[in-house]
């Protein structure tokens, strides 16, 4: 069996093309049933996200071109595009290259922001749709499960997703670095801007249980509180009274001067009994007096600090991505072995059966000459024949298995559970 | 690591059974026992805080200790008899070795705290930064380990005093090691008090944790450096 991957992504096709090809859950299921005919395209799966539409399919070894043609045609019709229109946008990978591509996509190495965590969930969803539609078979099941394992390895063994690369997410990262977990923590937003809202949502997702919002115009604060959910508003002139309740403060007002002075912060940290305090000031001009950052246990970041950290995080991710590529490389090789084994497996089984059939046929031919036998005797003769045949063919079959590259434990166990060749 | 520790435990027990004395006697056994106690301490930290990064500090030390222990050869049976007269001696040494291990963990956590605090204040994060446990985690590790270490140290010193008293009729002999031990005790006592009077003590407490460990080292090495009679069993009594 061969694996084919055909599709477009943000690097090869503009959004006008990608949006025409995109599938939702319903069209995806229908499309899969349409695409997988069981003859040429044996198995299929569609990954459709805002950055990519990719079709993964399995065909017989000698029908790669036929299968690829069918997939391309399928994309043309489902996108309602004239034939040949996609020629410059589509990429086509087969076998090893297709496996590598899928591993890289799921590990977020092919993403616009390398290391972003959503894509794995999207691949998982694509797989569950294919399972529901009944178009994920022996090959794709194995491949997709292997893919999940690779993505997990990359995530755990490299720092590809360890650091934040957006301002709104930096608050979560800093919070975690200081407080370990944001569960049960309190966040204060000073100013009700868009960036504050986005950060607050990330923080609530990460476990923050309380959000206080202080804004000069109360109505905007209330509106934002409704948007976020678990939020209460604080009158702007009572800001000082509530400051110490917050573990993390995000400041983004349009005020021309300092909203929080060093004195405010000192007072708050005293009231917090020295518990650390994280202040993030994303306003320009700055709203928190920079000298507040010198107070012990206070960690103050302004917009430039965040930008600086983010750009170093991006460089860090790129370095880690190189390590991730090595993991992908070794996993691709492992999967190729598994695949070869899956190809050779059935022929080993068939061969063994063939040998046994010959023995049974010979037994049937000579049966008369043995005269009457009891049931036990008959069974004994048959088992004698079978064990002789098996013992003789065993080295040969083993040889075949070895040639197919069954050297790793995973492949060996795959072969045992699937073909029951364990003796 | 777990396998190594179990084997090490086995060897220690075997040693005890074969030599007939508690396996904490002389430099070689002390180092080996200390390595064993450190791994045990690290396992507890790992279990409670999932702070693998601690291993980056602890494991090299464990390797060095084990290696030095291997290189140090001696014949402890000659002097063992003098010490095996009372059960107070092994209690004294065991408690102190565990206290040393706890203080080493305080030291590691304090260093991690200081490194990260500095990077947070300067807003430049090194690659290592992302792998270290959070500030609150290392702060907690330091606080708890210091409390545990202080308790063990107190008990160990008291046991040592009683042992000395039962042997020589004196609790205190103005030995450099004893002086350092009391200084160490005072410092960690101060640290524990300091930490308990606020929610969070941060940098100063972390510096105390580092300083305390310097004192621990002085105490540990008191014999070779300052000529103490506490010479890991090769007693000059």
């Amino acid at each position: 069996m061969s694996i084919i991957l055909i599709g477009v992504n943000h690097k090869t096709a503009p959004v006008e093309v990608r949006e025409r090809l995109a599938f939702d859950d319903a069209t995806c299921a229908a499309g899969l049933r349409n695409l997988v005919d069981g003859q040429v395209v044996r198995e299929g799966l569609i990954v459709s996200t805002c950055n990519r539409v990719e079709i993964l399919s399995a065909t017989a070894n000698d029908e790669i071109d036929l299968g690829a043609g069918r997939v391309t045609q399928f994309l043309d019709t489902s996108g309602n595009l004239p034939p040949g229109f996609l020629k410059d946008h589509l990429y086509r990978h087969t076998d090893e290259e297709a496996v590598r591509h899928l591993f890289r996509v799921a590990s977020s190495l092919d993403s616009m922001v390398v290391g972003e965590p959503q894509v794995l969930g999207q691949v998982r969803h694509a797989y569950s749709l294919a399972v529901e539609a009944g178009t994920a078979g022996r090959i794709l099941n194995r491949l997709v499960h292997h893919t999940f394992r690779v993505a997990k390895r990359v995530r755990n063994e490299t720092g590809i997703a360890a650091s934040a690369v957006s301002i709104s997410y930096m608050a979560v990262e800093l919070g975690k670095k200081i407080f370990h977990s944001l569960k049960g923590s309190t966040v204060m937003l000073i100013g009700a801007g868009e960036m504050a809202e986005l950060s607050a949502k990330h923080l609530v997702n990460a476990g923050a249980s309380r959000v206080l919002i202080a804004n000069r115009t109360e109505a905007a604060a209330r509106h934002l509180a409704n948007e976020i959910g678990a939020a209460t508003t604080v009158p702007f002139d009572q800001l000082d009274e509530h400051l110490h309740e917050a573990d993390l403060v995000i400041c983004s007002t349009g005020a021309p001067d300092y909203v929080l002075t060093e004195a405010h912060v000192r007072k708050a940290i005293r009231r917090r009994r020295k518990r650390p305090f994280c202040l993030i000031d994303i306003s320009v001009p700055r709203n928190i007096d920079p000298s507040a950052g010198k107070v012990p246990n206070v960690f103050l970041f302004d917009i430039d600090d965040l930008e600086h950290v983010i750009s170093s995080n991006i460089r860090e991710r790129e370095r880690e991505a190189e390590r991730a590529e090595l993991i992908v490389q070794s996993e691709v090789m492992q999967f190729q072995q598994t695949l070869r084994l899956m190809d050779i497996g059935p022929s080993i089984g068939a061969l063994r059966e063939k040998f046994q059939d010959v023995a049974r046929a010979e037994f049937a031919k000579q049966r008369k000459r043995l005269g009457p036998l009891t049931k036990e005797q008959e069974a004994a003769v048959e088992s004698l024949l079978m064990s002789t045949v098996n013992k003789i063919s065993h080295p040969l079959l083993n040889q075949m298995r070895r040639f197919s590259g069954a050297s790793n434990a995973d492949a060996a166990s795959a072969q045992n559970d699937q073909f029951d060749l364990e003796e | 690591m777990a396998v190594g520790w179990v084997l090490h435990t086995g060897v220690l027990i075997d040693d005890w059974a074969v030599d007939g004395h508690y396996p904490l006697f002389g430099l070689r056994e002390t180092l080996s026992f200390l390595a064993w106690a450190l791994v045990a301490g690290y396992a507890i930290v790992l279990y409670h805080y999932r702070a693998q990064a601690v291993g980056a500090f602890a494991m090299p030390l464990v390797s060095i200790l084990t290696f030095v222990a291997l290189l140090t050869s001696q014949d402890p049976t000659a002097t063992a008899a003098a010490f095996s007269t009372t059960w107070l001696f092994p209690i004294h040494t065991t408690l102190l070795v565990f206290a040393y291990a706890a203080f080493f963990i305080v030291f590691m956590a304090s260093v991690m705290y200081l490194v990260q605090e500095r990077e947070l204040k300067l807003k430049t994060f090194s690659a290592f930064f992302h792998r270290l446990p959070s500030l609150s985690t290392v702060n907690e590790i330091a606080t708890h380990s210091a409390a545990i270490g202080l308790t063990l140290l107190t008990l160990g010193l008291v046991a040592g005093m009683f042992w000395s008293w039962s042997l020589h009729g004196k609790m205190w002999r103005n030995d450099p090691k004893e002086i350092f031990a009391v200084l160490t005790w005072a410092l960690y006592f101060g640290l524990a008090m300091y930490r308990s009077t606020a929610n969070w003590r941060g940098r100063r407490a972390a510096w105390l944790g580092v300083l305390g460990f310097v004192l621990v080292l002085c105490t540990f090495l008191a014999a070779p450096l300052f000529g103490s009679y506490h010479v890991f069993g090769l007693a000059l009594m």
Side-chain angles (χ1 to χ4, degrees):
Chain A
M1 289 285 262
S2 280
I3 296 166
I4 310 173
L5 186 143
I6 293 176
V8 296
N9 66 12
H10 56 281
K11 288 173 205 153
T12 67
V15 65
E16 297 81 36
V17 174
R18 296 197 315 265
E19 68 190 359
R20 297 193 62 169
L21 292 175
F23 291 87
D24 61 24
D25 288 5
T27 54
C28 175
L32 278 173
R33 276 186 219 106
N34 194 358
L35 169 73
V36 178
D37 58 355
Q39 301 294 314
V40 179
V41 177
R42 309 276 179 92
E43 303 175 30
L45 178 151
I46 300 175
V47 180
S48 176
T49 74
C50 49
N51 281 331
R52 67 186 67 248
V53 177
E54 293 181 346
I55 297 188
L56 183 69
S57 53
T59 65
N61 281 336
D62 50 357
E63 288 183 333
I64 296 178
D65 287 325
L66 223 58
R70 188 177 162 84
V71 171
T72 314
Q73 201 183 5
F74 167 77
L75 280 171
D76 286 342
T77 31
S78 73
N80 214 354
L81 298 161
F85 178 85
L86 285 172
K87 214 179 83 197
D88 295 336
H89 302 298
L90 283 182
Y91 42 83
R92 168 184 154 174
H93 301 299
T94 49
D95 292 327
E96 191 176 329
E97 283 313 307
V99 172
R100 185 192 321 281
H101 185 84
L102 184 68
F103 285 179
R104 292 187 73 247
V105 167
S107 310
S108 192
L109 290 167
D110 195 48
S111 301
M112 206 137 84
V113 179
V114 169
E116 54 95 3
Q118 283 90 3
V119 69
L120 180 59
Q122 288 161 337
V123 172
R124 198 162 275 158
H125 182 66
Y127 176 60
S128 70
L129 287 178
V131 169
E132 265 170 50
T135 60
R138 191 164 82 84
I139 300 281
L140 291 195
N141 282 333
R142 234 323 103 93
L143 173 59
V144 173
H145 283 121
H146 202 119
T147 305
F148 293 154
R149 216 168 59 221
V150 176
K152 203 171 152 195
R153 251 195 89 186
V154 165
R155 188 145 293 248
N156 291 342
E157 294 176 23
T158 71
I160 191 170
S163 50
V165 288
S166 70
I167 292 203
S168 57
Y169 206 76
M170 270 304 285
V172 174
E173 178 176 321
L174 289 170
K176 280 192 176 157
K177 190 77 245 182
I178 295 169
F179 302 108
H180 181 64
S181 158
L182 289 163
K183 282 207 177 63
S185 62
T186 301
V187 177
M188 181 184 261
L189 305 182
I190 304 176
E194 201 179 320
M195 196 60 98
E197 178 184 342
L198 205 54
S199 305
K201 281 182 176 162
H202 282 316
L203 289 162
V204 169
N205 276 341
S209 57
R210 214 166 138 234
V211 180
L212 304 172
I213 305 172
N215 195 43
R216 249 183 243 281
T217 49
E218 186 94 30
R222 252 189 231 116
H223 177 74
L224 181 55
N226 286 335
E227 283 281 304
I228 293 172
T232 47
T233 60
V234 173
F236 199 77
D237 47 1
Q238 289 172 26
L239 185 64
D240 191 28
E241 290 306 302
H242 295 277
L243 191 60
H244 69 279
E245 293 168 30
D247 301 302
L248 209 143
V249 177
I250 297 169
C251 195
S252 62
T253 76
D257 48 15
Y258 299 145
V259 175
L260 292 180
T261 63
E262 189 184 331
H264 285 134
V265 173
R266 278 196 187 278
K267 186 173 149 198
I269 200 108
R270 228 179 5 257
R271 284 189 169 183
R272 290 173 63 73
R273 296 192 61 224
K274 316 267 180 189
R275 267 170 55 73
F277 203 18
C278 182
L279 306 173
I280 296 172
D281 185 3
I282 47 183
S283 27
V284 180
R286 287 179 290 181
N287 288 164
I288 302 178
D289 185 350
S291 65
K294 297 201 177 73
V295 178
N297 295 344
V298 170
F299 302 100
L300 168 64
F301 294 84
D302 66 28
I303 186 94
D304 275 6
D305 298 333
L306 297 182
E307 298 281 10
H308 174 73
V309 173
I310 284 169
S311 62
S312 85
N313 283 354
I314 289 175
R315 283 197 301 276
E316 170 70 16
R317 277 190 182 202
E318 280 159 5
R319 271 196 300 276
E320 290 296 305
E322 283 167 25
R323 295 181 46 214
E325 297 284 1
L326 293 178
I327 294 178
V328 166
Q329 177 59 28
S330 84
E331 292 284 348
V332 166
M333 279 157 68
Q334 256 190 46
F335 185 75
Q336 287 302 102
Q337 281 192 346
T338 311
L339 209 60
R340 274 198 290 274
L341 198 78
M342 284 173 77
D343 272 351
I344 195 95
S347 41
I348 289 178
L351 207 56
R352 207 165 82 131
E353 223 144 84
K354 173 103 184 146
F355 291 157
Q356 291 176 348
D357 284 348
V358 170
R360 275 196 206 94
E362 285 304 307
F363 179 44
K365 243 200 299 188
Q366 307 291 334
R367 177 66 191 83
K368 267 192 231 132
R369 297 175 64 182
L370 288 169
L373 291 173
T374 65
K375 269 231 158 68
E376 285 78 29
Q377 283 171 323
E378 199 152 336
V381 174
E382 183 161 349
S383 93
L384 175 115
L385 276 171
M386 289 304 129
S387 67
T388 307
V389 164
N390 287 349
K391 286 233 165 84
I392 292 172
S393 61
H394 187 70
L396 174 72
L397 299 180
N398 253 359
Q399 194 85 1
M400 285 175 68
R401 239 174 271 156
R402 255 199 302 281
F403 278 134
S404 72
S407 58
N408 64 62
D410 174 58
S413 76
Q415 155 206 325
N416 289 341
D417 62 32
Q418 258 192 327
F419 311 117
D420 198 25
L421 288 186
E422 189 84 302
E423 283 267 271
Chain B
M1 189 191 88
V3 176
W5 189 77
V6 170
L7 288 177
H8 198 164
T9 312
V11 170
L12 286 175
I13 291 173
D14 179 61
D15 217 21
W16 193 355
V18 172
D19 288 2
H21 70 89
Y22 193 63
L24 183 52
F25 199 83
L27 186 58
R28 178 198 175 97
E29 286 176 357
T30 307
L31 291 177
S32 157
F33 200 91
L34 185 57
W36 178 79
L38 259 177
V39 176
Y42 171 54
I44 293 170
V45 172
L46 201 60
Y47 177 76
H48 266 278
Y49 300 99
R50 310 246 156 264
Q52 282 91 343
V54 177
F57 291 78
M59 287 306 124
L61 182 74
V62 168
S63 312
I64 292 169
L65 285 175
T66 321
F67 189 63
V68 174
L70 281 178
L71 291 182
T72 326
S73 61
Q74 59 177 352
D75 177 25
T77 42
T79 44
F83 290 87
S84 51
T85 47
T86 161
W87 49 269
L88 274 170
F89 182 69
I91 290 184
H92 165 66
T93 49
T94 309
L95 285 170
L96 290 181
V97 166
F98 273 102
Y100 287 163
F103 291 142
F104 182 69
I105 290 170
V106 176
F107 169 70
M108 287 187 299
S110 300
V111 169
M112 285 192 239
Y113 186 95
L114 291 171
V115 168
Q116 293 191 86
E117 206 237 25
R118 194 181 138 80
E119 294 196 347
L120 276 169
K121 285 273 188 190
L122 295 178
K123 289 116 184 174
T124 44
F125 302 157
S126 58
F128 196 48
F129 181 82
H130 297 292
R131 296 176 188 274
L132 292 178
S134 67
L135 275 188
S136 89
T137 306
V138 289
N139 190 56
E140 220 177 297
I141 293 175
T143 308
H144 289 165
S145 310
I148 292 168
L150 180 68
T151 313
L152 293 170
L153 181 65
T154 312
L155 296 174
L157 290 182
V158 169
M161 285 175 175
F162 275 107
W163 174 67
S164 166
W165 183 62
S166 72
L167 211 61
H168 315 288
K170 272 192 273 183
M171 278 202 181
W172 182 261
R173 304 179 10 155
N174 268 334
D175 178 71
K177 186 156 186 151
E178 291 173 1
I179 294 167
F180 271 114
V182 168
L183 282 179
T184 309
W185 184 87
L187 185 126
Y188 281 105
F189 185 74
L191 175 63
M193 288 296 105
Y194 182 61
R195 280 197 185 268
S196 66
T197 52
N199 251 334
W200 184 291
R201 280 304 186 174
R203 204 165 57 168
R204 252 176 260 166
W207 275 117
L208 278 178
V210 173
L211 185 66
F213 191 68
V214 174
L215 275 181
V216 167
L217 281 182
C218 288
T219 314
F220 193 70
L221 302 173
L225 288 180
F226 307 103
S228 157
Y229 75 93
H230 274 85
V231 199
F232 298 119
L234 302 170
L236 312 162
M237 282 181 293

